[in-house]
Amino acid sequence: MIKEVKNNHLFWDGCDTVELAKTYGTPLYVISETAVVNECQAFQQSFIQKYENVRVAYASKAFNTLAMLKIIEREGLCLDVVSGGELFTAIKADFPAEHIEFNGNNKSIEELEMAIDYGVGRIIVDGIQEIELIRAICRQKDTTANILFRITPEVNVSTHEFISTGQKDSKFGIPLDEEILFPVIQQAIDAPEINFYGIHFHIGSQLSDNSTHLAAARVALGLILEINQRFDYTVKELNYGGGFGVTYTKDDIRQPYSYFLDPLMALTESFCREHGLTRPAIVIEPGRSVVAEAGISLHTIGAIKDLPGIRKYASIDGGMTDNIRPGLYQAQYEGILANKAEETATETVTISGKACESTDILVKDIQVPTIESGDIFATFATGAYGYAMASNYNKLPIPAVVLVKEGQADVIVARQSYEQIIQNERIPDALK
């Protein structure tokens, strides 16, 4: 069991979170290796081992560290990266190049050169200008690149607009307009520097309804049929993205992976049989669902401000600098006082951060036991996009990350020091 309560303390994968806070300080990210492995094994059982010619590529933007990538490799998943920094981390982790796909909507020449030099398995082309950059680099290096085109399937999803990506008006992907899409597909088929593998889409995040995945898949399948008929070309691969929702609060619905994957595979296989197509390889890109619920964040309660009849604020020693999601798109979380985990809730408080922004509210109006300075507040489901989106706003250091497993804890990211925050700053001679 990942989450346990013993002796009035919250335990996470066998570790006493109050002791973790004492030992490593707060704010602190805590990641359960067991929980991450459980998710990887769920994909193995419900997809990789169930269907032939499929892959799972972990969308590492959710949480990309050397240790995390080692776990992903060990558990048999591939890797999706979206920047030179994420790719550099993968290279330093010795992640197999052929199991990496490079995504992103504005790859620089330097990033593409890094990807091609390392020999990544796929480059997901996100715009029509990118194809010429790839061709030029491959000509210069006398090599070839395997590519997919990311399309915008023009489906609307039920999620926050900031994490919806499949609609036509999106910065991501190539539109379905015939005069835009088909010329670049023709170019990719004909180009000697390019191995055109297929089509990619991603429609959004935190989804609990499979209908939009199925709608987008129908678009992609129709497109590979059109490619076959128009160019006499067999698409080798379809990437259906990710976006599988997780549980942040009791109101969230988390569906099993089979709820999304089984209908997608049934649709794909029946469509290909009906139209005489060879079923392409199918790839999915989960990120959030692999790591979100594996992680918690620990903060120490500091100042408490009671406004009788209005609100009681309890401030933590972090906030939007280590979890920007509530301020960015009103994300909601649940949490408990880790050192009073068995006590009855007696008051309603709002957990506020220490950044100088009124939007720096972590959890609004949560029920807790009597709260005091020095208490440890644990926020659940922060494994995805907590550390990944952390910043130095107000020059607050980025917290440490601890990996826990069956009572053992290891630091996998050291806490940033003040010296490290300013290590790249310089005073010009004129100011000395």
Side-chain angles (χ1 to χ4, degrees):
M1 183 179 295
I2 307 303
K3 174 187 174 184
E4 296 179 281
V5 174
K6 294 187 290 186
N7 301 321
N8 207 26
H9 284 190
L10 170 68
F11 280 67
W12 198 250
D13 203 344
C15 289
D16 185 337
T17 58
V18 179
E19 289 302 315
L20 290 175
K22 289 180 181 177
T23 302
Y24 301 106
T26 58
L28 183 69
Y29 300 109
V30 183
I31 305 290
S32 163
E33 182 177 344
T34 302
V36 171
V37 170
N38 288 345
E39 297 298 334
C40 294
Q41 291 179 348
F43 279 115
Q44 286 282 353
Q45 295 164 9
S46 62
F47 193 58
I48 297 172
Q49 296 169 10
K50 188 173 183 179
Y51 299 101
E52 294 182 355
N53 199 20
V54 300
R55 298 199 315 277
V56 176
Y58 167 63
S60 66
K61 67 190 179 84
F63 180 65
N64 180 310
T65 69
L66 294 169
M68 182 65 178
L69 301 194
K70 283 296 188 184
I71 296 171
I72 292 300
E73 179 189 0
R74 185 191 69 197
E75 296 303 315
L77 273 59
C78 298
L79 188 69
D80 171 80
V81 299
V82 297
S83 73
E86 289 183 359
L87 177 57
F88 181 80
T89 307
I91 294 171
K92 288 298 182 180
D94 293 322
F95 204 95
E98 67 272 17
H99 294 160
I100 299 175
E101 58 183 48
F102 191 15
N103 234 310
N105 72 302
N106 186 30
K107 306 177 192 72
S108 69
I109 292 174
E110 293 76 16
E111 288 174 326
L112 288 170
E113 288 177 337
M114 184 191 303
I116 291 168
D117 285 341
Y118 193 56
V120 300
R122 306 288 185 273
I123 297 176
I124 314 298
V125 174
D126 198 280
I128 59 175
Q129 296 147 321
E130 189 177 323
I131 192 75
E132 283 296 347
L133 293 177
I134 294 171
R135 291 187 64 187
I137 293 168
C138 286
R139 282 195 299 270
Q140 178 187 358
K141 297 178 180 293
D142 191 25
T143 188
T144 59
N146 305 325
I147 72 163
L148 286 81
F149 285 113
R150 177 171 178 170
I151 62 167
T152 46
E154 300 181 17
V155 297
N156 293 314
V157 298
S158 179
T159 191
H160 195 284
E161 63 176 317
F162 290 1
I163 51 176
S164 176
T165 59
Q167 71 278 14
K168 185 168 186 176
D169 184 8
S170 172
K171 78 173 192 176
F172 298 106
I174 301 171
L176 294 174
D177 301 61
E178 183 172 335
E179 68 276 12
I180 297 175
L181 181 59
F182 286 114
V184 294
I185 290 177
Q186 178 75 75
Q187 181 184 6
I189 292 172
D190 295 340
E193 310 90 351
I194 296 295
N195 298 317
F196 172 53
Y197 270 64
I199 301 299
H200 170 289
F201 69 74
H202 179 69
I203 55 176
S205 299
Q206 191 56 5
L207 305 178
S208 59
D209 185 343
N210 65 14
S211 62
T212 46
H213 273 91
L214 293 171
R218 291 187 188 97
V219 172
L221 289 165
L223 180 56
I224 70 167
L225 178 60
E226 177 71 15
I227 291 169
N228 181 263
Q229 294 173 342
R230 184 179 293 226
F231 303 112
D232 191 27
Y233 190 87
T234 299
V235 165
K236 304 176 184 68
E237 193 163 296
L238 281 178
N239 188 318
Y240 287 156
F244 315 126
V246 303
T247 303
Y248 287 109
T249 74
K250 61 182 181 298
D251 296 326
D252 290 323
I253 299 172
R254 177 162 188 174
Q255 303 283 10
Y257 294 128
S258 58
Y259 169 80
F260 295 97
L261 301 175
D262 287 347
L264 275 171
M265 293 304 295
L267 170 65
T268 303
E269 291 175 351
S270 64
F271 183 94
C272 291
R273 283 195 305 269
E274 179 182 350
H275 296 282
L277 298 173
T278 300
R279 197 266 276 168
I282 303 299
V283 186
I284 56 172
E285 290 174 352
R288 183 193 312 267
S289 65
V290 175
V291 71
E293 294 181 53
I296 60 173
S297 298
L298 302 179
H299 293 92
T300 301
I301 299 294
I304 297 173
K305 177 180 179 179
D306 195 358
L307 302 173
I310 301 176
R311 192 179 305 279
K312 187 171 187 176
Y313 290 95
S315 296
I316 54 174
D317 54 352
M320 65 187 297
T321 50
D322 55 73
N323 187 354
I324 198 173
R325 294 184 69 251
L328 186 62
Y329 33 69
Q330 298 82 53
Q332 295 184 339
Y333 288 89
E334 293 180 348
I336 64 172
L337 294 182
N339 58 311
K340 298 177 178 178
E342 293 179 311
E343 297 181 23
T344 302
T346 57
E347 59 182 354
T348 300
V349 301
T350 287
I351 307 297
S352 58
K354 67 176 294 173
C356 289
E357 296 288 339
S358 296
T359 57
D360 187 17
I361 301 296
L362 180 62
V363 185
K364 192 174 182 179
D365 294 337
I366 187 172
Q367 303 292 312
V368 294
T370 301
I371 197 164
E372 300 170 285
S373 298
D375 286 340
I376 303 299
F377 187 77
T379 312
F380 296 117
T382 61
Y385 305 109
Y387 172 76
M389 299 177 80
S391 77
N392 287 132
Y393 182 55
N394 291 169
K395 295 225 165 169
L396 295 175
I398 292 175
V401 185
V402 174
L403 185 69
V404 295
K405 179 183 179 182
E406 299 174 352
Q408 299 297 313
D410 291 289
V411 175
I412 59 171
V413 180
R415 185 176 307 279
Q416 190 181 34
S417 68
Y418 289 136
E419 285 292 335
Q420 289 171 328
I421 292 176
I422 64 168
Q423 65 183 350
N424 293 326
E425 298 187 17
R426 300 292 184 268
I427 300 174
D429 291 339
L431 295 177
K432 292 180 180 178

